[in-house]
Structures are given as C-alpha cells and as structure tokens.
C-alpha cells in the first residue's frame, strides 16, 4: 500500500519525489512508462533540441547548477542534470520503470486509489500525483497515402539517430518549436530539404552566449551570485506578461520581430510567407538565430501548399507539384488537449465522477491541481497552468508545495481524503476565463492553447508570482474532507 503514487518521471514527478523524501516520506513510488527518467528531455533528442527558457531558471530552485554551459542548454545537458539530480536526492530506488498506468479508480469505501498498470498489476495509494506531462504524446497527422511511402518516416520526438540524413531528400512537416530547431541543423548535409508550413510562427533571436569559465567559477564559489542571476532571469521573463496583457504593446514588439525576419531572410516574398497573421504571443513565441537564414540556402524550400497525397517516394501538394523525397520528418508537435489525461486512461473518482465525462466540455481544475469529485488526486502542469513567458519548473515547484500542504492539512484533520468544492472550482475557472479576456491569447489566433470552441484551458493568464503567492497554502474552507467507511 503506497501513501503516494506519482505517475511520470519527468521534471514534475522528480520534484514531487524529492520533496516527499525531504519531508521524510518514503512510502511512495514513481510509476514511469519509459525506461529512464527525464520525460521531455529523454524523448526529444533531435539535433538542435534546446530549452527556450534560460537554463539557470529552467532547473530546480533547490538544485542549482553553477556550471550550465550556455544560456539555453541543449537536451543532453538538461537530461544529464535530470539524471544527476535523481541520484543526488536518492530518488532512483523509488522509481518503477516500464510501468504504464492504464487506469485510476477511487474506492470511496477505503479512500484509496486503485492504480491499474499495463502489466496487469494493481496498486493501492492514498494519494495520486499525475505528473504525466502536457507534451509527450507525438501528434501524428493523417497524411493521405502515407502508408504507401517506402522511405523513412519518423516523428521529431522519436528521432532515428541511426538513419543517415546526409545526401537525402527530406520533407519536414510543421514549423513549430521542434522543427525550427532541427531543420537548420540537418539542412547543410541534406541534398534537399522541403519545409512544409501550415501556419508560420513568430521567431525572435536567441541569446546563444556561453558562460565563461570565470562566470561558472563565480556561480560555484558564491551561490548568492547564482541566485541573483536566476532572479534576474526570472524577472526579465516575467516582464513579458506586459505585452501578453496589453496586445497593443505586443503589436509594437511585433514590428521589431518583422524587421528581424526581413533582415534575416533577405527576400521580401519569402519574408511575407514566413510572417504570421496573428499577434505575437498568441501562440508560443519561438527563439532561433538560424531558422530564417536557413531559407537562404539553395537546397531549402518553404512549401506553403497543403499536402494532397503521399506516394511511394514523393509528396504531391494541392497545387499538383510532386516532390521526390527519401524521408519524411514529422515536426508536428504533440497531442496537447489538456484532456489528454482522460484520453490516455480512464479515471473515476467519487460515485458519478468519470474524468472523461466531467471534462467532456473542457478540462477544469482548481489551480490546475485539484479536481472536484476526485479526492486526493493532484495534478502537476494541469489545466490552465502552462505558460507562454516563463519557466514551467517555477509552476511545478509551487504545485508540489501545494500538494504537500494538502497532505499536511489532511493529516492535521485526521481525515482520509480531501476534494475541492465544486462551486469553488467553478468560481475559480470563471476568474481564469475572465482573466484571459483582453489578453493576447484572445486576439483571434487558433493554437494548441485553445479548444475547438476557442476556450483556453491551457494557459495561466496572470503573473507567475501571483500563482506562487496564491498556492503558498491551501485554503481548507474550499475543500471537503472525508473518511474511509471501511479498512482497505
Ligand atoms: C521539445 C520540447 C521543448 C520544451 N522546452 C521547454 C522550455 O524550454 N521551457 C519550458 O518551460 N517548457 C518546455 N517544454 C515543456 C516541457 O514539457 C516541460 O518543461 C516539462 O518537461 C514538463 O515536465 P513534466 O514532468 O510535467 O512532463 P514530461 O517531461 O513530459 O514527463 C512526463 C512523464 O510521464 C510519463 N508518463 C506519461 N503517461 C504515463 C503513464 N500513463 N504511465 C506512466 N508514465 C507516464 C512519460 O513517459 C514522461 O516520462 C518543452 C517541451 C518539449 C516537447
């Protein structure tokens, strides 16, 4: 019998595990479907994979790393950091690898969660922490005829490192965060690279500076120096909420981004094809110094026409042009519907509560963590807690602290479970949706932040310090407490 079952061993699951250990709690397990920790950074090993939040900030506040090599580290360094942190805090013995959770069912009689595993095993846990991550299920578009293609096809999150791309004719589908990182890396050796674009993204320059040896030594010797650096990065990023809250300000910044694009591409027609038609910030702003200049290469073509069909060894676009290709790389991102949790496996809570049904119209939670009707179920990076402007690890740390506070209050009250009150959750979500009005996200673009009906259950629409402040302690009056009716 576990006190806590943590589902997922990425940044979120690790943070939860470390803080439980720091409190002396050892009756927990991380259930991870993969063979290693790291989540996003274990899976995304494509050429050029780097974070887009500065590494000193995109790391745990309690596990600083003074020797980050550059402002935005690559995936190897981030994954190394995750592995080192796992060892440093002694988390590994608590991880059960290759254990995919396939169902969660709350037993109101015993007040325990029944955790179903793909192996057929069933565990019992007082609390469940869902740290399954918002971006880990590759989105595989249905390209007509793809099954006939005899070349190589893979998704950017499942990079085929043993497949030689040099000298190949490559089609890369999508122009999102991953494609803008790997395309410039593979272009020089490719015979031809066709970049298929549906909607362009705003791409602004990246700070590519490395940290000097003396800067690393200074961070090592004077931890306060590292902390100040981290704080400066935090507040610089946080200042970007201003254009988010004031779209007119975003539009002024957009002029700079457009100027940068024209300058980098050096061709007005191409620049106009690469210019988004939405306000900057409405979709995730990407950072790269080599994406735009890549289109100056004679072997790189931007294809705007939609794909009509894939043949044995070519792609035909809607305008009838056929392009011979040896390999198709799907840089098409991830299935990011916040309801992914319910799509991935069934979750049933108190009688009458089934997450698939409760979230049919939209994923609503309380601070993205608690959901009415699902006692002792805590989510990390849940609905309306993703960010467009700062480090998600800041949010994860606030959420973990909140979950620990839920557990503390539960113990103090001598109760077996707590569940957020449905009316409180509804009021909270009204506030969130009100907060989204007038922001850059409501300026009319379609993005993975929104559902089909335009409602946004992805983004936290306020400052992150506000989230941190509001989740410092739980307000027990907003929760209902219950006791088991029978021993398990
Ligand atoms: C290429 C890429 C770059 C990114 N860059 C940034 C960035 O620069 N800054 C930023 O703030 N965010 C970035 N993100 C977002 C990123 O997802 C988060 O920063 C962070 O990694 C989320 O951590 P997590 O632990 O919540 O999820 P993940 O890292 O996705 O980990 C979830 C884990 O849960 C496991 N899992 C899922 N379902 C199950 C199941 N049913 N049973 C058992 N295990 C399961 C998965 O195998 C995985 O290991 C990026 C995302 C991608 C894809």
């Amino acid at each position: 019998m576990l006190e806590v079952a943590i589902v997922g061993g990425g940044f979120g699951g690790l943070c939860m595990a470390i803080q439980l250990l720091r409190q002396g709690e050892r009756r927990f397990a991380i259930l991870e479907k993969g063979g290693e920790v790291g989540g996003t950074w274990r899976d995304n090993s494509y050429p050029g994979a780097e974070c887009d939040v500065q590494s000193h900030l995109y790391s745990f506040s309690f596990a600083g790393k003074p020797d980050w090599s550059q402002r935005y580290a690559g995936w190897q360094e981030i994954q190394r950091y995750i592995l080192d942190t796992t060892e440093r805090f002694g988390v590994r013995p608590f991880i059960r690898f290759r254990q995919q959770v396939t169902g969660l069912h709350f037993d109101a009689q015993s007040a325990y969660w029944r955790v179903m595993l793909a192996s057929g095993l069933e565990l019992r846990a007082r609390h469940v922490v869902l740290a399954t991550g918002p971006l880990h299920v590759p989105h595989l578009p249905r390209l007509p005829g793809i099954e006939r293609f005899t070349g190589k096809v893979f998704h950017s999150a499942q990079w085929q490192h043993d497949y030689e791309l040099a000298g190949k004719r490559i089609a890369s589908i999508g122009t999102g965060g991953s494609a803008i990182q790997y395309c410039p890396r593979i272009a020089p050796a490719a015979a031809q690279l066709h970049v298929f674009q549906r909607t362009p993204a705003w791409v602004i320059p990246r700070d590519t500076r490395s940290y000097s040896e003396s800067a690393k030594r200074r961070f090592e010797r004077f931890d306060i120096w590292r902390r100040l650096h981290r704080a400066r990065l935090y507040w610089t990023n946080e200042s970007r909420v201003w254009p988010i809250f004031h779209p007119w300000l975003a539009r002024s910044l957009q002029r700079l981004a457009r100027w940068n694009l024209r300058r980098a591409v050096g061709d007005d027609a191409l620049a106009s094809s690469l210019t988004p038609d939405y306000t900057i910030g409405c979709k995730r702003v990407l950072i790269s110094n080599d994406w735009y200049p890549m289109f100056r290469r004679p072997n790189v073509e931007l294809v705007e026409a939609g794909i009509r069909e894939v043949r044995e060894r070519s792609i035909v676009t809607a305008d009838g042009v056929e392009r011979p290709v040896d390999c198709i790389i799907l840089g098409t991102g991830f299935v990011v519907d916040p309801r992914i949790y319910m799509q991935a496996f069934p979750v049933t809570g108190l009688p009458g509560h089934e997450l698939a049904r409760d979230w049919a119209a939209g994923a609503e939670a309380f601070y993205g963590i608690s959901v009415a009707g699902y006692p002792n179920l805590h989510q990390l990076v849940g609905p309306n807690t993703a960010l467009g402007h700062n480090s998600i690890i800041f949010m994860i740390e606030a959420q973990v602290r909140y979950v620990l506070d839920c557990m503390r209050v539960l113990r103090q009250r001598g109760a077996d479970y707590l569940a957020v009150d449905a009316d409180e959750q509804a009021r909270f979500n009204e506030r969130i949706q009100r907060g989204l009005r007038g922001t850059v996200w409501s300026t009319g673009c379609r993005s993975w932040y929104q559902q089909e009906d335009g409602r946004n259950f992805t983004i936290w629409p306020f400052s992150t310090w506000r989230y941190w402040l509001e989740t410092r302690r739980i307000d027990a009056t907003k929760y209902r407490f219950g006791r088991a009716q029978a021993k398990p």
Side-chain angles (χ1 to χ4, degrees):
M1 206 88 78
L2 293 167
E3 184 61 15
V4 188
I6 302 169
V7 190
F11 265 116
L14 283 180
C15 184
M16 190 71 232
I18 292 169
Q19 298 304 347
L20 283 169
L21 283 173
R22 284 176 133 192
Q23 295 209 339
E25 179 59 77
R26 299 175 66 83
R27 294 166 300 162
F28 73 89
I30 294 182
L31 306 167
E32 167 54 57
K33 69 176 175 179
E36 189 45 278
V37 291
T40 296
W41 302 102
R42 174 200 62 209
D43 296 342
N44 288 272
S45 62
Y46 57 77
E50 292 175 343
C51 55
D52 59 11
V53 168
Q54 302 87 338
S55 296
H56 272 281
L57 189 59
Y58 189 66
S59 45
F60 293 128
S61 63
F62 52 83
K65 175 173 151 64
D67 61 346
W68 283 112
S69 63
Q70 52 189 7
R71 296 299 190 276
Y72 299 91
W75 74 269
Q76 290 100 330
E77 198 176 355
I78 303 173
Q79 179 64 358
R80 184 74 260 155
Y81 168 80
I82 293 175
L83 291 171
D84 290 347
T85 307
T86 305
E87 301 307 331
R88 179 176 158 199
F89 289 91
V91 180
R92 195 164 285 276
F94 297 89
I95 310 171
R96 302 188 194 174
F97 289 113
R98 305 200 189 286
Q99 296 294 343
Q100 181 173 358
V101 171
T102 51
L104 291 172
H105 307 290
F106 185 71
D107 174 10
Q109 287 282 315
S110 62
Y112 269 90
W113 279 94
R114 293 169 52 216
V115 181
M116 326 303 282
L117 301 174
S119 61
L121 275 175
E122 183 184 322
L123 302 174
R124 290 192 157 230
R126 180 66 83 201
H127 296 268
V128 172
V129 178
L130 274 177
T132 46
L135 300 173
H136 80 281
V137 179
H139 170 63
L140 306 171
R142 273 187 231 103
L143 302 176
I146 188 79
E147 64 290 342
R148 286 206 306 266
F149 187 65
T150 55
K152 190 85 178 167
V153 187
F154 57 89
H155 188 274
S156 59
Q158 295 157 344
W159 200 265
Q160 304 290 301
H161 290 279
D162 51 3
Y163 179 76
E164 183 55 75
L165 287 166
K168 298 279 173 25
R169 296 162 302 180
I170 305 165
S172 174
I173 319 290
T175 52
S178 301
I180 71 134
Q181 293 187 331
Y182 68 72
C183 283
R185 295 295 177 98
I186 62 173
Q192 180 69 41
L193 175 62
H194 304 287
V195 179
F196 287 78
Q197 170 181 276
R198 196 175 56 184
T199 41
W202 284 109
V203 183
I204 60 171
R206 166 186 286 265
D207 180 351
T208 51
R209 281 175 297 166
S210 295
Y211 287 103
S212 66
E213 288 309 313
S214 62
K216 290 186 216 168
R217 273 197 303 276
R218 218 169 26 247
F219 289 145
E220 178 85 58
R221 275 189 72 192
F222 309 106
D223 194 49
I224 182 72
W225 196 251
R226 183 190 60 78
R227 285 176 186 278
L228 282 171
H229 182 58
R230 182 181 162 96
R232 186 175 69 75
L233 294 173
Y234 171 79
W235 288 109
T236 312
N237 288 355
E238 199 55 23
S239 67
R240 300 200 313 224
V241 294
W242 287 104
I244 286 172
F245 293 153
H246 305 287
W248 61 267
L249 194 55
R251 283 185 206 107
S252 335
L253 295 174
Q254 195 170 300
R255 276 187 224 118
L256 276 177
R258 188 172 282 142
W259 172 80
N260 172 57
L261 160 58
R262 286 229 178 80
R263 189 189 54 87
V265 168
D267 174 316
D268 278 356
L270 191 55
S272 124
S273 299
L274 288 164
T275 304
D277 61 1
Y278 57 83
T279 309
I280 192 167
C282 190
K283 299 187 190 189
R284 194 166 181 94
V285 179
L286 307 178
I287 55 173
S288 170
N289 294 343
D290 41 19
W291 169 248
Y292 290 145
M294 176 189 75
F295 290 98
R296 288 176 178 248
R297 300 185 63 89
N299 67 335
V300 175
E301 182 203 15
L302 179 72
V303 184
E304 290 182 90
I307 294 175
R308 186 203 289 167
E309 87 175 292
V310 179
R311 295 184 180 160
E312 282 77 7
R313 215 57 181 197
S314 64
I315 294 182
V316 183
T317 40
D319 50 10
V321 178
E322 180 170 5
R323 291 173 178 83
V325 293
D326 304 306
C327 168
I328 300 175
I329 305 177
L330 303 171
T332 41
F334 301 86
V335 179
V336 284
D337 186 331
R339 291 170 291 168
I340 181 76
Y341 300 121
M342 73 167 196
Q343 290 172 355
F345 51 81
V347 181
T348 55
L350 288 171
H353 284 281
E354 202 182 308
L355 207 54
R357 240 193 2 241
D358 286 350
W359 279 2
E364 292 195 351
F366 188 63
Y367 286 105
I369 304 171
S370 316
V371 188
Y374 300 84
N376 295 358
L377 179 71
H378 318 277
Q379 285 178 78
L380 305 180
V381 201
N384 286 112
T385 62
L387 300 176
H389 71 287
N390 217 331
S391 171
I392 198 67
I393 294 175
F394 180 85
M395 301 294 271
I396 288 176
E397 286 194 36
Q399 288 162 358
V400 165
R401 191 189 47 199
Y402 188 88
V403 174
L404 291 173
D405 206 42
C406 286
M407 294 175 183
R408 179 188 62 80
V409 170
L410 195 64
R411 278 193 303 272
Q412 259 178 9
R413 296 200 166 210
D416 293 315
Y417 65 80
L418 84 176
V420 68
D421 180 79
D423 293 335
E424 293 294 348
Q425 178 175 302
R427 269 194 286 279
F428 173 81
N429 279 281
E430 275 161 27
R431 193 184 128 209
I432 291 285
Q433 295 303 324
R434 261 201 319 276
L436 282 160
R437 278 181 223 139
T439 65
V440 74
W441 297 298
S442 55
T443 50
C445 74
R446 306 284 308 138
S447 79
W448 61 266
Y449 294 154
Q450 286 130 324
Q451 294 194 153
E452 289 289 298
D453 62 9
R455 284 186 303 163
N456 184 329
F457 291 108
T458 311
I459 286 280
W460 172 251
F462 309 110
S463 313
T464 59
W465 57 262
R466 196 158 151 189
Y467 186 84
W468 183 88
L469 211 61
E470 291 180 22
T471 52
R472 264 175 75 76
R473 290 257 175 275
I474 79 154
D475 178 350
T477 62
K478 295 190 164 43
Y479 281 82
R480 298 276 164 269
F481 293 80
R483 294 197 65 92
Q485 287 139 36
K487 289 276 165 231

